[in-house]
Structures are given as C-alpha cells and as structure tokens.
Amino acid sequence: MEKRELVILGAGPAGMTAAIYGKRSGLDVLVLEKGIPGGQIAITDEIENWPGVVHATGAELAESFRRHAEKFAPEFRDATVTRIELRDGMKVLVTEKEEIEAEAIILATGATFKKLGCPGEAEFAGRGVSYCAVCDGAFFQDVEIAVVGGGNTAVEEAVYLTQFASKVYIIHRRDSFRADKMAVERALGNSKIVPVWNSVVESIQGSDMVEKLVIRNVKSGEISELPVEGVFVFTGMVPNTECVKGLVKTTEQGWILTDEKMETSVEGLFAAGDVRDKYLRQVVTAAGDGAIAAMASYAYISEQVHLRGLLLDPEHVVALFFSSVDEKQMRLVDDAEKWLAASGKRAVLVDGYRNAKMVEKLGLAGLPLLVELRKGNVASSRTFSSTADLQSVLS
C-alpha cells in the first residue's frame, strides 16, 4: 500500500492553502482532486472580498491558488475517494483505483448546492435547470429566467445573469433577502430584476425545455404560474462528506465538527473550508482553515513519528508519563532526570498533558505513571511517587 505523510482531499482555497503550508513545513504532500480545480470559486463570476485583490473572477483566483501551490511541488492526483477507513490505528483512503495510507488527512472537500427536490427539477437538469450561472448564463440570451434563493449567492448571481436575460425573477420564501446589504442594493437597483417574495417553487414544467414554474405563496397559499425559460437554484449548500459518513462527528445537517486546530473527532483527521461547521463560508475563511489544518497536521505528524520511535517501535522501553501542568509532578520529574543522569540509566519522559492522545491510545490513567512497554504494548504500569520506583524498575 502507498504510504504518505499528508494527504489533502480537495483543491479549492482550503486545500491549496493547506498544500502550500504543508510543503513549506517539509511534509510529503499529496493532493487528491476531483473535477474543476478551485472548488466553488472556479464557477463564481466575481470576487471582490479577497484581501489585496480589488476584483477578480473566480476562475482567475482559483488559477492563482493553483500556480502558487505548484511552486512548492506537492503531488497532484485526480482521484475519487470513496471512503476513509481506520485499520489498526492506520488511516487509509480508499479510491476507485488504489488505497493510500496517510499519517494525517485534511478534508477540504467543500460543499455543493442544495436541490429543490420538486417535481421537474431532475427531469429538466441541463434543459433549463442550472446550478451555475457562470457555466450556463450565456444560454439564456434575451429571455426571462428565475433564480431561487435569497442569500448572497442567489442575489449576486441574479445580477450577473442580467447581462444575458431580459428579466430575472428572484423567488424567495421570505419577504426580504438574507444577502449582504450591498448585494441587495445592487440587485434591487437593477431594472431587470423582479423579486417574488414569500414564495416557493412547487414544480418545474415544460416539454423539451423549461417553460414555466408553478409557485406557491407561503402566506396566502395562492398557486400561480411564472413563464420562464430557465431556473437557477441557489438555496444553500450541503457538505461533501460521503467518504467520512459515520466516521467523524458532525452536526445534524452533516457539517463536520472540529476543534480550533481543525482536528475532527478522529485523531490525525482534519477538516478545512466549507465542509466544516462554521459561522462564515468564504474564500478567506477557507484559506485560513487550510493554513491552520496544515500546521496542526505537521505538529501531529512530528509528534506521532517522534513518540512512535521512542515508545512503540523499540523492543523494551521504560517510560515516565507525567503532567506538565502539575507542580508536584514536575518536581518528581526533576528528581527523576537528576537520578537518570547520575546513574546512566535510560527512561523516556513523556508529558502526558501535551501528548494526551498517546496516553489515551495506551489506555493509561492517573498520572504520574511508570510504564513498561514491550513492542508497543503496555507490559506493566505503576504509580510513580519517587526515584525509588525508577530504581526498582531499571536496576
């Protein structure tokens, strides 16, 4: 099986930033990508909130991320990861072609647009139903279309679509948009945009192509028809977490839960960007997540490799596990270090507070402990109270 230090799933802003930081830290980095490099920004028309760049298309920014990452020479590979498995403590990525063992993994798989789930949506996908304004907007020259949604993406993409369509209806289930004030003002100030408030799409109808929407007013219950030749759906996102379903802790909606280091509930498995549970999903926050995840991965890999070499690989090891936040234990450790230096004996001193995962992995409890390990397994353990305990084990 192929073995790598850091494997990153996804080549969007989070994944590319993680690749840059990972390589700069000296890690062996493999980036597994699927589809268009750049993630969601690759199909975004305009980006005006990336610091230092006043204006760029999403494709331009995505390309700049890729060029920057390539400078540090991580390996890029086109692959679909079907699942991630834990096998005897190892993290294994199962792809459609191969299996890869990784010391650490960063999930930067992003999110995809929600579907409406109404009759006609699936049937007319690619025949008037779209989820990408940049991809399909030009096909709707001088015709009337609809956008469904009320957030930033829906409102901004509606404005973009006015350069093609003769009229753009924005259908929203509330009586005001959830988008940023500037985006809303720009949309409502455009003569081609017509809001349809308090309404939802009941069905999408037509013959070969979309011809009309059946909509329902959520307050009055009134049903009406809206003649349009296309409908763009921007009603929110769902996380791309199929490969880790049942493996990591998530919210009820499926967003991955992490700590401040971007680590998931699985040791050595990190998440970054839109796939994780967070307050704001933007390019700049995804990049920040990627940087943190990469540096946390580096620290994790360094710690694990170091501790494995000290504790788990040798035939026989005596280790003193202690907590660096306990003053009494630190005095015992000072005495132990002095005795070891004077006697010429050898024992591994492990800060169980900083290396809590190793303590958990070995099933230890109640520090300080004097532990004998044979081939990585605990042979014996006892409470450590004085250097006499060391003498009795090492004599």
Side-chain angles (χ1 to χ4, degrees), residues 9 126 140 182 233 262 277 310 327:
L9 276 68
F140 298 91
M182 185 176 294
V233 180
M262 305 298 141
D277 181 44
L310 289 176
E327 185 177 347

Side-chain angles (χ1 to χ4, degrees), residues 320 322 329-349 370 384-391 394:
L320 170 56
F322 63 93
Q329 291 188 39
M330 289 306 298
R331 286 198 297 268
L332 285 171
V333 170
D334 287 341
D335 292 342
E337 286 181 315
K338 291 174 184 176
W339 182 84
L340 288 169
S343 66
K345 302 292 185 178
R346 186 177 183 279
V348 178
L349 304 182
L370 194 58
F384 179 75
S385 57
S386 71
T387 54
D389 297 320
L390 270 177
Q391 295 173 29
L394 294 174

Side-chain angles (χ1 to χ4, degrees), residues 2 66 81 95 160 168 226 247 251 300 315 346 348 370:
E2 181 180 3
R66 178 61 179 255
V81 176
T95 77
Y160 169 75
V168 179
L226 183 66
L247 182 64
T251 67
Y300 169 79
E315 288 286 324
R346 186 177 183 279
V348 178
L370 194 58

Side-chain angles (χ1 to χ4, degrees), residues 49-106:
N49 54 5
W50 176 253
V53 178
V54 176
H55 177 272
T57 67
E60 289 169 345
L61 199 58
E63 179 59 27
S64 71
F65 283 159
R66 178 61 179 255
R67 288 197 307 269
H68 193 169
E70 286 176 342
K71 175 187 174 185
F72 297 98
E75 181 185 346
F76 290 92
R77 188 180 302 172
D78 185 44
T80 299
V81 176
T82 57
R83 65 186 182 278
I84 294 174
E85 298 179 354
L86 300 180
R87 301 178 187 171
D88 299 324
M90 300 186 304
K91 291 172 284 295
V92 178
L93 301 103
V94 180
T95 77
E96 76 279 19
K97 298 176 182 177
E98 59 195 341
E99 295 186 348
I100 305 166
E101 180 187 339
E103 290 279 354
I105 299 170
I106 297 176

Side-chain angles (χ1 to χ4, degrees), residues 265-341:
S265 56
V266 173
E267 176 185 336
L269 180 54
F270 301 83
D274 288 357
V275 74
R276 60 181 288 264
D277 181 44
K278 57 194 297 187
Y279 175 70
L280 183 65
R281 292 184 176 86
Q282 294 283 291
V283 179
V284 68
T285 61
D289 287 357
I292 294 169
M295 297 311 296
S297 295
Y298 170 75
Y300 169 79
I301 291 169
S302 300
E303 175 185 299
Q304 293 304 300
V305 171
H306 176 66
L307 286 179
R308 193 157 54 229
L310 289 176
L311 298 174
L312 305 183
D313 293 341
E315 288 286 324
H316 176 249
V317 175
V318 174
L320 170 56
F321 285 82
F322 63 93
S323 171
S324 59
V325 296
D326 186 301
E327 185 177 347
K328 183 179 179 181
Q329 291 188 39
M330 289 306 298
R331 286 198 297 268
L332 285 171
V333 170
D334 287 341
D335 292 342
E337 286 181 315
K338 291 174 184 176
W339 182 84
L340 288 169

Side-chain angles (χ1 to χ4, degrees), residues 3 62 170 300:
K3 295 186 178 183
I170 307 181
Y300 169 79

